[in-house]
């Protein structure tokens, strides 16, 4: 069987073209179109108070269309954020052009932008790009790749995931692509919230809109909202899913769980890929907190650890300096008793019941020299667990972000 | 007049000696003794849930002595944190030795430690160091410098400040030293709270204990608690003041404000020196938020901006990428209207009423090439202001913190 991709679910076409918005010559305008007669869609957006124009317009369109989104139009290289009324107008204009080439209504289009904040979109280029994309729509793997490339900024690789599951003899396919490398600390929500992470998911299942919305929020909480590169929630974060219904499988009742699991799996894979491709990252750091009093407490502690520059630098240097991990949990604001805690690094216990456990520095340091490092803090206070994915902090992160403007 | 120093206030002696705890040969055990008959003292400690042994013991001693602290004993190179019962015992032992050489009670000694977490103190070296310090006490500028050096870890320079003011014809002197370069994001409080920042203040005013406590908390909120290098509140943060009363000036009534201003000035100077000597720092970044609805709101926004690695890298690269500043304020959790905001960078307006203001990139970038950069966000919602001091994020920060264990 051929490898699955964003356009494997039936009823979708896509394109990615170079319109000259990015400085480097790579696709920067993407268009995803659902050709099915009655698609449903859901989206979660940034919770930042400063909201980019496309997020504002996207939210309106989702409401106006009653969740019937038929196209997604994206540009990379410019975030269209902090751009005032002209920015709003430009985001609407992107939708008008996309509606024109996709054969739908303006309010059936979800717009997205990613890149630098505070610059007006070069609309001549954007408009030409959308027209160009409309002329290059297709449903091949190649088309899926071009769309996935068109949404990237400082990412070093494209990010995609897909799964299939059976309902009776019928097959449902669910796929997604995303971008995100820096300004990553999403807190996505159905309610207004902000980071630049973009994710687009397609499925050929038929899913009622309300169910699709709640499953997307649930999946986002366990995936995109659990990844952090620099904890900087952006003005543009968006994750959206369109269900074409073309598989003929209606999701509800018992299948809802099956669909939810497929959605969670795709979202988690995409989120992990974001951590792995974090700006300057040399490894993924998986922070697990177990035995907390609530999931919120576990997540808050895991997030404090994952966001500590000291922890991230230690991981970059393969340094088993675990005191930084314990102390980060300590300032998270969550009540816990260090005297009951155990911390393991790559399976080696380094701290137990408030005291250091002797270990061989060189051996543990060597174990940290891996593409994935797991730090696990067990609190012994309750039954709640949480996992947060991050990456190490390297000199390359500084290089990338001290010189981004040039 | 000779320059003021930590031992200019009458009634104090100090020493700093090398005991072999630090890897590099530099003073690492400090002792500060107040010889006055009735000193008063106050201290604020970290709010981390993981509390180093000396903080625990110091809090107890402050309570037991009724605020009559007569000596401070400090070691650098080892934090005595996450060291369980043995750690507690070691911190008490430090106080016993200090009490012996200072001629006071064990519970009249405030202990501090700073350095790596999770290692047992080399007590043989610490004990010899304290005895050695006791034999080298003195009140000269040289003694003050040695004490200031003995508390440093990754700091590249010592930090000190002092002021004098008159009450009638009498002169009150207030002085302080501090350390802090990494793991800096103190939230100091009279109530249990954590970072490694240490500050010790001396004055020859006579100040009632309760007043001294409340003035120290107030001064800390506007200084130490407003500085962040990596937002990593430590297990050991401590700021303490001892008032010898030897000037003959009793503080109360009208003089309280005068004394508070002197204390605020010394603490602010020390906090600024911490930001300037932040690990890898090439400049101080002053983040000011004006016109917020409350001081808490202003401080929360300023702190979110100051802690953003993207903002800090941009400052390192002299990059006027102001969208990172506005978006950081946006995810701080504080309600505000970007459409009413103005942002200036070194006095140049770059964003006003939700829209970018054209500016010359090269000129503003050149203005960021300074030892102090001011970013000022005006919200136009209320009358509250706050200032937070931080530094840029450089490759050297990563070098220092990826290799600290070796």
């Amino acid at each position: 069987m051929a490898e699955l991709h964003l356009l494997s679910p039936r009823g979708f076409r896509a394109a990615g073209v170079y319109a000259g918005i990015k400085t480097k010559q790579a696709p920067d305008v993407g268009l995803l179109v659902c050709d099915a007669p009655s698609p449903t869609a859901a989206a979660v957006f940034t919770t930042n108070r400063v909201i980019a124009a496309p997020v504002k317009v996207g939210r309106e369109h989702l409401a106006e269309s009653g969740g019937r989104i038929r196209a997604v139009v994206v540009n990379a290289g410019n975030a269209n954020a902090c751009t005032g009324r002209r920015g709003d107008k430009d985001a609407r204009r992107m939708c008008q052009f996309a509606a024109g080439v996709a054969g739908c209504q303006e309010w059936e289009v979800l717009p997205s932008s990613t890149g630098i904040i505070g610059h007006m979109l070069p609309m001549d280029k954007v408009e030409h790009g959308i027209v160009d994309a409309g002329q290059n729509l297709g449903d091949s793997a190649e088309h899926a790749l071009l769309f996935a490339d068109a949404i990237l900024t400082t990412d070093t690789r494209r990010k995609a995931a897909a799964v299939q599951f059976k309902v009776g003899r019928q097959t449902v396919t669910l796929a997604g692509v995303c971008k995100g490398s820096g300004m990553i600390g999403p807190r996505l929500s159905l309610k207004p919230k902000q980071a630049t992470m973009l994710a687009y998911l397609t499925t050929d299942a038929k899913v009622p809109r309300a169910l699709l919305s709640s499953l997307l929020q649930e999946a986002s909480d366990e995936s995109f909202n659990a990844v952090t590169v620099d904890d900087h929630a952006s003005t543009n974060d968006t994750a959206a899913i369109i269900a074409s219904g073309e598989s003929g499988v209606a999701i509800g009742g018992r299948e809802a769980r099956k669909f939810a699991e497929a959605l969670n799996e795709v979202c988690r894979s995409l989120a992990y890929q974001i951590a792995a491709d974090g700006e300057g990252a040399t490894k993924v750091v998986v922070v697990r907190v177990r035995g907390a009093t609530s999931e919120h407490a576990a997540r808050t502690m895991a997030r404090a650890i994952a966001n500590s520059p000291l922890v991230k630098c230690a991981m970059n240097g393969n340094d088993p300096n675990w005191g930084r991990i314990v102390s980060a949990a300590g300032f998270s604001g969550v009540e816990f008793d260090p005297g009951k805690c155990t911390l393991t690094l790559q399976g080696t216990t380094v701290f137990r019941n408030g005291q250091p456990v002797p270990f061989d520095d060189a051996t543990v340091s060597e174990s940290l020299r891996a593409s994935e490092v797991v730090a696990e803090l067990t609190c012994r206070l309750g039954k709640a667990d949480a996992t947060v994915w991050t990456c190490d902090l390297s000199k390359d992160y500084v290089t990338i972000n001290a010189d981004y403007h040039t």
Side-chain angles (χ1 to χ4, degrees), chain A:
Chain A
M1 196 186 72
E3 218 175 308
L4 294 173
H5 55 79
L6 184 70
L7 305 172
S8 299
R10 278 156 285 178
F12 295 93
R13 287 180 300 154
V17 300
Y18 178 60
I21 306 165
K22 284 182 186 168
T23 45
K24 72 173 171 188
Q25 190 153 350
D28 51 16
V29 167
L31 185 64
L32 171 67
V33 174
C34 180
D35 297 309
S38 298
T40 54
V44 284
F45 300 100
T46 183
T47 48
N48 200 306
R49 299 280 166 201
V50 181
I51 294 160
V55 168
K56 195 171 150 187
V57 171
R59 249 195 238 133
E60 288 172 13
H61 285 185
L62 202 66
E64 283 173 39
S65 69
R68 184 168 296 189
I69 292 298
R70 295 182 181 275
V72 169
V73 62
V74 198
N75 75 273
N78 183 316
N80 193 10
C82 297
T83 45
R85 286 203 191 134
R86 191 172 138 195
D88 294 352
K89 214 176 125 187
D90 289 346
R92 289 186 206 291
R93 204 165 168 76
M94 281 178 70
C95 295
Q96 281 160 9
F97 272 76
V101 301
C104 65
Q105 302 297 323
E106 180 189 333
W107 34 267
E108 291 174 324
V109 180
L110 187 80
S112 294
S113 297
T114 179
I116 194 159
I117 295 174
H119 290 245
M120 294 299 167
L121 276 178
M123 282 309 290
D124 47 343
K125 291 176 182 172
V126 172
E127 289 165 13
H128 274 102
I130 297 170
V131 170
D132 214 12
Q135 288 164 354
N136 286 284
L137 287 165
D139 64 2
S140 73
E142 180 64 20
H143 287 90
L145 297 184
L146 285 167
F147 179 81
D149 286 348
I151 65 177
L152 307 179
T153 52
T154 52
D155 307 63
T156 66
R157 43 189 185 265
R158 70 173 74 100
K159 297 162 185 76
V163 292
Q164 283 188 323
F165 63 95
K166 290 263 185 193
V167 173
R169 272 190 245 157
Q170 290 171 295
T171 300
V172 170
T173 310
L174 200 158
V177 297
C178 75
K179 68 83 58 174
S181 183
M183 206 177 262
I184 296 297
R187 289 88 153 164
L188 291 160
S189 172
L190 294 166
K191 309 246 170 68
K193 293 194 194 182
Q194 163 166 335
T196 303
M197 198 232 55
L198 299 177
Y200 305 103
L201 302 143
T202 55
T203 181
D204 47 21
K206 191 173 171 64
V207 195
R209 188 197 170 194
L211 180 62
L212 197 60
S213 283
S214 71
L215 294 181
L216 180 63
Q217 177 71 69
E218 179 190 312
S220 297
D221 284 341
E222 300 279 323
S223 59
F224 307 125
N225 291 352
V227 65
T228 171
V229 171
D230 45 27
D231 198 35
H232 195 115
S234 138
T235 42
N236 295 57
D237 291 340
T238 299
I241 182 166
I242 303 181
S244 72
E246 296 289 285
S247 67
V249 177
I251 301 295
R254 190 177 302 174
E255 283 72 38
R257 222 2 56 197
K258 235 175 182 173
F259 182 81
E261 275 159 28
L263 182 60
N264 290 350
E265 188 183 330
V266 168
C267 290
R268 264 199 307 268
S269 168
L270 293 174
Y272 189 95
Q273 292 175 59
I274 289 175
D277 193 27
E279 285 171 344
T282 72
K283 64 186 75 172
V284 173
V285 181
V286 180
V287 180
R288 261 190 215 122
V289 173
R290 293 194 183 281
T293 50
S294 71
E295 202 185 306
H296 178 73
R299 197 168 294 285
T300 303
M301 291 170 84
R303 214 174 166 95
I305 296 167
N307 280 328
S308 162
L310 290 172
V311 171
K312 293 162 81 87
C313 284
M315 293 300 111
N316 181 250
N318 305 309
D319 177 2
N321 194 338
W322 56 266
R324 294 175 178 179
I325 298 176
V326 175
S327 61
F331 71 71
S332 68
V334 173
E335 291 272 5
F336 71 101
D337 178 1
K340 288 186 177 175
C341 289
T342 297
L343 177 70
T344 64
L345 280 180
Q346 296 290 67
T348 302
T349 301
V350 294
F351 176 72
R352 186 190 288 131
N353 300 337
Q355 305 203 46
V357 174
F359 61 87
D360 183 54
D361 245 15
T363 310
V364 177
S365 178
E366 193 53 41
S367 78
L368 298 177
R369 209 176 284 280
S371 61
E372 179 184 287
V373 168
V374 180
E376 190 170 304
L377 182 71
T378 305
C379 301
R380 291 194 188 82
L381 289 178
K383 293 187 170 176
D385 300 341
T387 299
V388 166
W389 298 281
T390 188
C391 55
D392 57 334
L393 173 56
S394 73
K395 286 176 203 163
D396 283 351
Y397 180 87
V398 179
T399 307
I400 292 164
N401 285 302
D403 302 326
Y404 183 63
H405 59 135
T406 53

